[in-house]
Amino acid sequence: MIPFQPILDSLKSYEAGKPIELVVREFGIKPEDVIKLGSNENPFGCAPEVVEIVCNAATKMSLYPDDSYLDLKNALAQKFEVTPDRIIPGNGSDQVLDFACRSVLTPGDSILINRITFAMYKIYALQCGANVHSTESVPHDLNAFLDLTKAVKPKIVFLCTPSNPAGDALSKNEVYEFLNQISPDTLVVIDAAYMEFGSKKDPKKFIPAKEITDLYPNVFYTGTFSKAYGLGGMRIGYGIGNSELIGNLYKMRPPFSVTNLSAFAATEALKQQKYVNDYLENNLQQMKRYEKFAADNSIEFIDSYANFITLFVRKHGKTSSEICQSLLRQGIILRDLKSYELNAIRITIGTPQQNDRVLFALNKELN
C-alpha cells in the first residue's frame, strides 16, 4: 500500500464545470444544440486575430517555448505600466496562486478566505499543511476579515474581487483601507480574474495593479486571459507584485510552464482591446435581462460585477440541482452551487441568442 499524504483523505478535488462533450454523450444532444454557460467563458470566443496567430504558429508546437516569455511580459508590462521583472506568467492564474502558497506557507500556518470563494485557495493551502479559516457571509465583509486576522494571524489573505462564484466586488477604497490595517508580513492576494468586468460596470471597483503593488509590497495581484480575452482553453494567467516577491515565486516555477501557442495567443489578445470592450458591453447589457427576470419573478440575486449572475431559487419549490439537471437535459449547462452549500445557480452571461433560450427555459421551469 502506497503511503499517501494523510491530508489527501480529507481533500476534495476541484469540481470543474460540465463539458459539452459529456452532455452530448449523456443525453444524445447534438453539440451545436448545447449551450455552455457554467464555466464563465467568453461566449464569443477570442478575437479572430488571435486565432490567426495561433494557426500560423502551429508548426512551432514541437519546440519548447522561449522560457523568458519576454514578448508576453513586455506586453503585460505595457498594459499595467510596470517593469517586466514584476510579472510572472502561469498555466492559468491558479498556477501562480499555487506558487504563492508554496513559497509562503509551512505546515501549521493559516490562510484566511471568504466563505464563498474560489475553491483552489483552500486546496492549495491544505496541500501545504496549512489551516484554512473563513468568514461567514456570502459577500466579502472586510470588517470580518480584520477581526479574523487578529485572531488567527494568517500568512496569506485571499481577496477575490470581483468574487467567484458570488459576483460581489470590493471598491478600491475599501481594499486600501483594509491593507492599511493589517500586518505588512501578511501576503494579501488580490485575485482579479474578473477585474475587467467590474471596472467596466463601476470604476470605483477598479484596483490598479501598479498602484496597489507600489503602495503595498505585501500584495500579489493575479489576472487571467480565460475570461475577458476568451482564452480559457489556452490556460494562461499572470501575477504582478514587487520584484522581490516575483523573484521568489519564480523559484517555484517549473520550466516552460506556459505553452508557446498560449503565450503567442495572449500577447496578441492584449492588442485586441476593441474586441474585448465590445464583449464587456454585451455582458453589461445582457446582464440587465437576467436582473429584470429575477425581479419579475421575485428571485433574489447578487449584484454582479463579473460575467455571470448568481440566482437564489430557494423560494420556488425546487432545488438548484433539480433546476440545473432539468436544463441540462435540454442542452443548457449552468453551474449548480450546491457544493458551496447554496441553493443557487450561477449563469454565465451568454450571447443574446443564448440568453433568449436560457431565460425561456428558466421561466418555464420556475413558473
Side-chain angles (χ1 to χ4, degrees):
M1 182 73 68
I2 298 173
F4 293 107
Q5 292 187 48
I7 188 62
L8 296 181
D9 292 334
S10 58
L11 196 61
K12 294 182 180 180
S13 300
Y14 178 77
E15 181 183 340
K18 286 186 181 295
I20 292 174
E21 293 79 5
L22 180 62
V23 178
V24 171
R25 289 195 299 268
E26 282 191 19
F27 302 106
I29 302 172
K30 296 178 181 178
E32 60 267 25
D33 293 333
V34 178
I35 298 175
K36 187 185 179 190
L37 297 179
S39 298
N40 304 339
E41 297 147 324
N42 183 329
F44 298 98
C46 62
E49 293 85 352
V50 176
V51 176
E52 184 179 357
I53 285 287
V54 173
C55 289
N56 291 339
T59 56
K60 297 183 179 180
M61 68 174 67
S62 61
L63 304 175
Y64 286 119
D66 169 7
D67 199 45
S68 72
Y69 298 104
L70 191 58
D71 289 344
L72 174 59
K73 289 198 292 185
N74 282 338
L76 284 167
Q78 183 176 0
K79 174 179 172 62
F80 290 104
E81 300 179 331
V82 296
T83 52
D85 64 328
R86 293 176 57 181
I87 297 170
I88 182 169
N91 190 294
S93 60
D94 46 332
Q95 186 182 49
V96 296
L97 293 169
D98 180 33
F99 297 160
C101 286
R102 291 193 291 115
S103 65
V104 171
L105 297 174
T106 57
D109 287 338
S110 294
I111 72 161
L112 178 56
I113 60 176
N114 200 58
R115 177 193 159 201
I116 306 297
T117 197
F118 184 42
M120 291 309 299
Y121 308 150
K122 179 177 181 179
I123 292 172
Y124 288 145
L126 291 175
Q127 289 173 353
C128 294
N131 302 307
V132 178
H133 302 270
S134 66
T135 59
E136 296 296 325
S137 63
V138 173
H140 280 65
D141 179 351
L142 290 184
N143 287 326
F145 269 85
L146 280 173
D147 290 341
L148 280 168
T149 57
K150 297 171 185 175
V152 304
K153 295 180 172 54
K155 279 283 192 73
I156 305 179
V157 174
F158 289 93
L159 299 179
C160 186
T161 181
S163 167
N164 176 34
D168 60 291
L170 297 164
S171 72
K172 169 185 164 180
N173 290 341
E174 286 178 299
V175 172
Y176 283 24
E177 185 177 346
F178 171 77
L179 291 169
N180 288 333
Q181 298 179 70
I182 69 165
S183 169
D185 294 332
T186 300
L187 178 65
V188 179
V189 175
I190 306 293
D191 185 343
Y194 298 90
M195 187 60 67
E196 291 91 350
F197 303 94
S199 58
K200 176 74 173 178
K201 183 173 181 177
D202 183 356
K204 293 179 182 177
K205 308 296 185 182
F206 176 59
I207 299 175
K210 172 179 169 54
E211 183 179 274
I212 197 169
T213 54
D214 280 350
L215 291 173
Y216 304 97
N218 59 324
V219 166
F220 182 47
Y221 180 105
T222 67
T224 183
F225 287 91
S226 296
K227 311 304 178 185
Y229 292 93
L231 293 177
M234 301 302 281
R235 302 301 301 127
I236 182 162
Y238 54 88
I240 300 173
N242 69 69
S243 56
E244 180 186 16
L245 170 62
I246 297 302
N248 278 292
L249 296 189
Y250 255 93
K251 297 172 184 177
M252 314 303 294
R253 188 184 74 92
F256 315 118
S257 59
V258 172
T259 72
N260 50 16
L261 297 187
S262 299
F264 296 149
T267 304
E268 179 62 30
L270 287 170
K271 302 174 185 177
Q272 306 303 325
Q273 286 304 313
K274 183 182 183 305
Y275 185 89
V276 174
N277 289 334
D278 288 346
Y279 165 47
L280 296 177
E281 186 61 35
N282 173 84
N283 186 75
L284 265 184
Q285 297 308 315
Q286 293 296 309
M287 178 86 73
K288 294 175 182 176
R289 297 181 63 191
Y290 284 96
E291 292 171 346
K292 184 179 185 303
F293 173 82
D296 290 347
N297 290 275
S298 302
I299 299 172
E300 182 184 349
F301 67 94
I302 295 175
D303 185 23
S304 176
Y305 294 85
N307 66 340
F308 59 84
I309 188 167
T310 299
L311 304 180
F312 295 90
V313 295
R314 52 180 170 261
K315 295 180 181 178
H316 288 262
K318 293 186 178 180
T319 66
S320 57
S321 298
E322 289 171 336
I323 293 171
C324 286
Q325 191 64 25
S326 177
L327 267 65
L328 195 61
R329 285 192 286 268
Q330 301 172 52
I332 299 172
I333 305 172
L334 307 180
R335 187 63 182 262
D336 180 12
L337 297 185
K338 179 184 177 182
S339 61
Y340 289 90
E341 300 181 359
L342 295 176
N343 190 23
I345 55 178
R346 190 191 68 189
I347 307 170
T348 306
I349 306 301
T351 66
Q353 295 77 20
Q354 289 174 331
N355 298 328
D356 288 343
R357 187 172 156 195
V358 173
L359 289 168
F360 178 83
L362 277 177
N363 186 61
K364 187 177 179 180
E365 188 71 27
L366 295 175
N367 297 298

